[in-house]
Amino acid sequence: MKFWRFPWRLGLAAAVVALAACQSAPVPPQGARGVDSAAVPSVQSQTQRTGIDVPMAWGGELRCSKTGCQLVAVEHEKSAVVLYEIKDRKARFLDRQPLAYHPDSAIWLADDLVVAAVETSFSLDVFRIVQGRLRRIDQISIGIAPRDVVLIQASEGRYRLLAAPYSGKDVEWVDYTPGHPEKTQTHRVAWCEAPWHPVRVQRAPGAPQGGVVAACLDAQRVVFAPETNLLGTAQTLFKVPSEVRIIPRHARPSPSGRWLYAALETGGRNVRFDMDSGELHWVEAALPVGTVAVLPLADDLVVWAADSRLYLQRLGASGEVLETRWLPVDGFATGLQLVDADQDGVQDLVVYNSAALPKKMGVEIIYGPLWEQAQPHMPQKEAKK
């Protein structure tokens, strides 16, 4: 039986929902190809948002270009990758293609190229967008069950990808040229136990060129691979000091690159790390349970994700909380992305709910400005029906 990585106190309800949602065969989402899905207002909030019916959206990415915005996402339990067009705050379903069991993430490589990380096939599956349809062009065997795939470098049609495991210590570097599988090169290296959600950083102590960091879910630390030696063994950037087991689950840098924020899955605190001095700050959580994702909006303004709620915190110079505001969401928000989804010049928040409440949306786009739209009081969790 697969081990579900949810913090027991804040994720038990979400895990129950997720397991109840398991189905043996993929089925198309409601609405035929080309049917619009209007913006869905939350019953708990006056914020403007668009809800998109992607069951168990363990990962995805919204990409905007001169031709508009498109969302690619995976349906974890239904084993599919889906494509939507986002226009005028509406989501229009374009296509859905099957994958092997348990796809965990999907990203864009280019305006017409996407890749999905799939656990049971031990592969990265590459699709080209042709007239609004997903056409599989390559399946890259990587020898590990990937939780994440991250684009690290792109140049002249060549891509360097990093695949991080669902469990285990090994990550896989992949140099890939679309349509030329014979040119694909892979390189495996041990990092730490469960190095989840790798991300590029602009700099780190002693490494002004930056590199890649990952939160080690089972090793109580955050690791760093410097730009000067990406294919080498990752080094410990910092450990989470605690007498009890504290689990760093998700780490993201602030826009300037100065701070690295880490969401701790257990305990009532989170942390931030000074990428210049190496100083570590505890950040008091707004809930007694842990958080599962983080997204800094500025050096001193951060979004934390918990079960059915997000909270935004303004912080002082030492990481003290100056003010907290809240946004309800439709489930277990394990992925956050900042992007101008409606092309109005204001950044919006895309939320990927790895397990959603019944009759709720797996992907939500919350339109900015985010701090102004957030509520000063904590919303009540919606009762399970």
Side-chain angles (χ1 to χ4, degrees):
M1 178 179 293
K2 181 174 178 177
F3 172 65
W4 288 85
R5 293 188 181 276
F6 292 114
W8 73 270
R9 287 174 296 178
L10 86 98
L12 180 59
V16 171
V17 172
L19 291 171
C22 293
Q23 297 184 23
S24 59
V27 296
Q30 284 189 333
R33 173 182 168 84
V35 175
D36 287 342
S37 173
V40 179
S42 168
V43 297
Q44 296 174 311
S45 172
Q46 298 303 313
T47 57
Q48 293 296 313
R49 62 182 68 198
T50 298
I52 307 171
D53 189 12
V54 182
M56 295 185 68
W58 272 46
E61 187 178 17
L62 179 63
R63 182 182 179 95
C64 294
S65 66
K66 294 180 179 178
T67 59
C69 298
Q70 290 186 317
L71 172 79
V72 62
V74 292
E75 297 178 344
H76 180 71
E77 195 66 32
K78 291 188 175 183
S79 303
V81 58
V82 293
L83 180 68
Y84 282 83
E85 178 186 57
I86 310 299
K87 185 176 182 181
D88 298 328
R89 297 192 174 186
K90 296 180 180 179
R92 184 167 71 96
F93 172 71
L94 295 178
D95 197 19
R96 184 176 187 272
Q97 293 296 323
L99 297 168
Y101 191 52
H102 277 182
D104 284 4
S105 64
I107 61 171
W108 293 87
L109 302 184
D111 288 346
D112 65 343
L113 204 63
V114 302
V115 57
V118 188
E119 283 186 47
T120 55
S121 58
F122 289 73
S123 67
L124 303 179
D125 292 20
V126 185
F127 294 81
R128 192 174 297 281
I129 312 300
V130 180
Q131 296 181 342
R133 303 299 297 269
L134 292 157
R135 178 181 297 173
R136 193 195 311 260
I137 61 170
D138 284 315
Q139 185 177 67
I140 306 169
S141 178
I142 58 173
I144 64 171
R147 171 63 178 92
D148 299 283
V149 58
V150 182
L151 176 61
I152 301 298
Q153 296 170 345
S155 176
E156 299 179 348
R158 296 189 297 271
Y159 304 93
R160 170 162 287 181
L161 307 174
L162 174 62
Y166 180 86
S167 61
K169 295 182 178 180
D170 293 338
V171 301
E172 194 85 10
W173 289 96
V174 179
D175 289 319
Y176 168 68
T177 301
H180 295 278
E182 75 281 0
K183 295 182 180 180
T184 300
Q185 296 182 345
T186 62
H187 179 81
R188 188 172 302 176
V189 61
W191 272 17
C192 62
E193 280 292 343
W196 276 26
H197 311 309
V199 66
R200 291 295 299 263
V201 294
Q202 301 174 36
R203 61 188 190 267
Q209 303 92 344
V212 179
V213 301
C216 301
L217 193 70
D218 294 331
Q220 204 163 329
R221 68 189 63 195
V222 172
V223 297
F224 171 69
E227 182 73 25
T228 53
N229 188 23
L230 285 176
L231 302 185
T233 300
Q235 62 196 47
T236 296
L237 187 64
F238 66 87
K239 295 182 179 179
V240 182
S242 179
E243 295 179 357
V244 298
R245 180 168 168 76
I246 298 295
I247 301 173
R249 181 185 176 110
H250 193 259
R252 286 295 181 266
S254 64
S256 75
R258 179 184 174 185
W259 299 104
L260 183 72
Y261 286 88
L264 303 184
E265 188 177 277
T266 52
R269 296 182 292 178
N270 295 299
V271 295
R272 73 175 185 181
F273 181 78
D274 192 321
M275 299 294 266
D276 292 328
S277 69
E279 184 179 4
L280 190 71
H281 291 166
W282 287 107
V283 180
E284 183 180 358
L287 293 168
V289 295
T291 55
V292 294
V294 60
L295 182 63
L297 305 181
D299 277 357
D300 59 354
L301 178 58
V302 191
V303 182
W304 306 97
D307 185 14
S308 302
R309 285 170 284 199
L310 309 176
Y311 60 89
L312 291 74
Q313 290 182 324
R314 286 199 180 277
L315 305 178
S318 299
E320 69 274 19
V321 178
L322 304 178
E323 189 177 358
T324 300
R325 294 188 181 184
W326 301 83
L327 288 167
V329 291
D330 279 352
F332 199 66
T334 53
L336 304 172
Q337 181 191 357
L338 197 64
V339 62
D340 185 3
D342 56 358
Q343 303 287 275
D344 66 350
V346 178
Q347 295 284 77
D348 310 308
L349 184 65
V350 187
V351 181
Y352 301 88
N353 294 310
S354 59
L357 294 166
K359 300 181 180 180
K360 294 295 185 178
M361 299 293 107
V363 178
E364 300 171 85
I365 304 173
I366 304 174
Y367 297 101
L370 298 169
W371 178 260
E372 290 76 7
Q373 299 252 7
Q375 305 172 16
H377 303 292
M378 180 171 64
Q380 297 299 311
K381 290 175 62 175
E382 185 169 335
K384 308 295 189 295
K385 297 181 180 179

